[in-house]
Amino acid sequence: MLSPQMEILMLKRLKQPAWIVLVSTMLIANTVHAATQEKLSINKNGIKVWTYQVENNPIMRYRAETIVNTTLENAVGLILDTEKGKKWIPYVSDLSVIERNDTIGKFIVYMRLDFPFPLSDRDLVVEGKLSKLSDGRIVFKNKSIVDARVPVKANIVRIQQYEGDWVFQKLAAQQVKVSTSGFADPAGAIPLSFVNNFVQQQPYQMLQRMKQQVKQSHYSSNDIPEVLR
């Protein structure tokens, strides 16, 4: 494992495109109200991204949204498909289910992020809770947890602070509003200036890739948990 000083030194040599995808999947969100005013950082290709900070935390948070031309079931099914996730979520080298209960809408997954040299890889254990609101919206609430079944591995930095939400709202038979908001502390020696600079790029890249991937997917109500039907 590289020393913190070496990671910081080498990070300065990375080009921008690598950093855009570097923090993908790791910074998926919570819905805590901002202590500072939101800024519309990106508004293009039908995707909007707002960034903001909360008190006593220097790491930026974001919320983002877009409209996807597909069914509600197809959009939700794509997010729940862990095997497919390894193909479209940048730098995810392992995304495996530890526990899943479709009756109550709960899951625990392990995720490993294969970062480019010279960064150390990151990993985390995520607990998710799925629910369907009275207005038909489907909500995923995720957070990092400690799980004895997944011990910390050598040469991988374990992400301890992570919270995230996804919200899916059906607008028409073939139209879904997808919203995500997020925060995570990537830990280790990633300079704050780099993280905050690309927090606004990460959700844009994520939603853009999702919109492309969903065109190749064909999930139905049979592919989503009972609690969401």
Side-chain angles (χ1 to χ4, degrees):
M1 179 182 295
L2 293 172
S3 68
Q5 294 80 7
M6 182 63 71
E7 274 201 352
I8 292 173
L9 177 62
M10 294 298 290
L11 283 172
K12 295 179 181 179
R13 301 177 184 175
L14 286 178
K15 296 183 180 180
Q16 179 170 317
W19 268 102
I20 290 176
V21 294
L22 181 63
V23 291
S24 292
T25 76
M26 188 177 63
L27 301 172
I28 311 176
N30 66 17
T31 54
V32 176
H33 291 292
T36 57
Q37 186 174 1
E38 289 182 331
K39 174 186 176 182
L40 180 59
S41 300
I42 296 177
N43 184 6
K44 63 179 180 179
N45 296 325
I47 301 172
K48 292 182 178 180
V49 180
W50 294 264
T51 54
Y52 61 94
Q53 288 178 293
V54 297
E55 189 176 0
N56 299 322
N57 195 324
I59 299 177
M60 297 292 292
R61 302 170 183 243
Y62 72 77
R63 69 180 183 91
E65 63 182 40
T66 191
I67 304 297
V68 181
N69 296 321
T70 190
T71 64
L72 179 64
E73 293 79 10
N74 195 34
V76 172
L78 175 63
I79 300 298
L80 290 174
D81 189 338
T82 52
E83 284 301 314
K84 189 67 67 66
K86 288 185 288 188
K87 297 179 180 179
W88 70 274
I89 303 175
Y91 285 91
V92 171
S93 59
D94 188 3
L95 182 58
S96 52
V97 177
I98 300 172
E99 178 183 324
R100 178 168 173 171
N101 187 325
D102 285 352
T103 302
I104 63 174
K106 179 183 176 182
F107 63 84
I108 298 176
V109 298
Y110 170 78
M111 179 183 291
R112 174 168 173 168
L113 308 176
D114 188 10
F115 282 6
F117 181 83
L119 296 175
S120 299
D121 290 350
R122 263 68 177 172
D123 70 357
L124 68 161
V125 182
V126 177
E127 179 181 75
K129 187 70 174 66
L130 316 177
S131 62
K132 187 173 184 178
L133 306 183
S134 59
D135 61 5
R137 286 181 297 164
I138 290 178
V139 178
F140 295 5
K141 288 186 173 295
N142 308 316
K143 64 178 180 180
S144 57
I145 62 170
V146 175
D147 193 307
R149 292 170 292 184
V150 189
V152 175
K153 301 178 181 180
N155 300 322
I156 300 178
V157 178
R158 176 61 54 87
I159 296 172
Q160 303 287 351
Q161 299 182 48
Y162 158 79
E163 296 179 5
D165 290 352
W166 287 87
V167 180
F168 301 85
Q169 180 182 4
K170 181 178 178 179
L171 302 179
Q174 289 284 332
Q175 194 174 69
V176 180
K177 180 180 179 181
V178 180
S179 305
T180 182
S181 54
F183 171 78
D185 184 345
I190 299 181
L192 178 64
S193 58
F194 279 93
V195 174
N196 283 341
N197 187 37
F198 289 97
V199 162
Q200 61 182 299
Q201 294 290 337
Q202 180 273 129
Y204 173 78
Q205 296 289 329
M206 179 70 72
L207 291 178
Q208 190 175 45
R209 289 168 177 253
M210 178 191 174
K211 292 176 75 169
Q212 292 300 315
Q213 185 64 46
V214 81
K215 296 177 181 178
Q216 305 172 34
S217 303
H218 304 283
Y219 301 97
S220 68
S221 59
N222 294 327
D223 299 307
I224 63 177
E226 296 176 30
V227 70
L228 302 181
R229 298 175 190 171

